[in-house]
Amino acid sequence: MGGATVVHPFDDAAVICGQGTIGLELRDQVVEKLDAILVPVSGGGMLGGIAAACAGSGTRVVAVEPAGKRLGEALASGTRVVVSDAELKASPTLATVADAMPTRLLGPENAWPLVYGLVEDVLTVDDAMIEAAMRVTATELKQAVEPAGAVALAGALSPAFAEIRDRLGLKNVGLVVCGGNVDLATLGRVLAG
């Protein structure tokens, strides 16, 4: 490649460290203790970075994944790959409205070890939940976000998070809402509901 350096988008240590600053900034901006941060997860770099940045701080990091990823199963079993080789070959990426986060597996070198060691809770959201969250961001927050950008809010609005919030007494919760690359046709379809 002519001397160019290839930087992995989600399993590079420097990228993960950079993404971890999101967690540091969120914690710095909350006057009271930040109880939790909900983080959308695809390849795991942002999740691993934020989890590392928040380790030992008392801020719980909660992964929010599109349906089909099965990160919760992977963490529970301690195994990065919980799908068969045949299934992975037949469907190497997720079929989700959150098309910016199709990665089925976390990066093996850095992302997986960080997430496995630091993240306890995983929320799974389906396409309908993601689209409902997009509608909330557009109508209530006056923000247009891409489907992947609405994943954390979809998790926050879920009954599963309500259970976690109530069980752990979480009060101050941050969400990572990133990505405005939504085309008008998709946004219009989602808003029409």
Side-chain angles (χ1 to χ4, degrees), residues 40 82 167:
V82 293
R167 178 173 42 89

Side-chain angles (χ1 to χ4, degrees), residues 4 8 26 29-30 36 49 57 70 91 130 136 138 144 148 155 158 166-167 192-193:
H8 196 281
L26 281 169
Q29 291 180 18
V30 175
S57 70
R70 298 170 60 186
S91 183
I130 295 168
V136 169
S158 72
D166 294 346
R167 178 173 42 89

Side-chain angles (χ1 to χ4, degrees), residues 70-82 112 116-117:
R70 298 170 60 186
L71 177 58
E73 272 182 68
L75 293 177
S77 70
T79 307
R80 179 178 158 266
V81 182
V82 293
W112 168 255
Y116 179 66

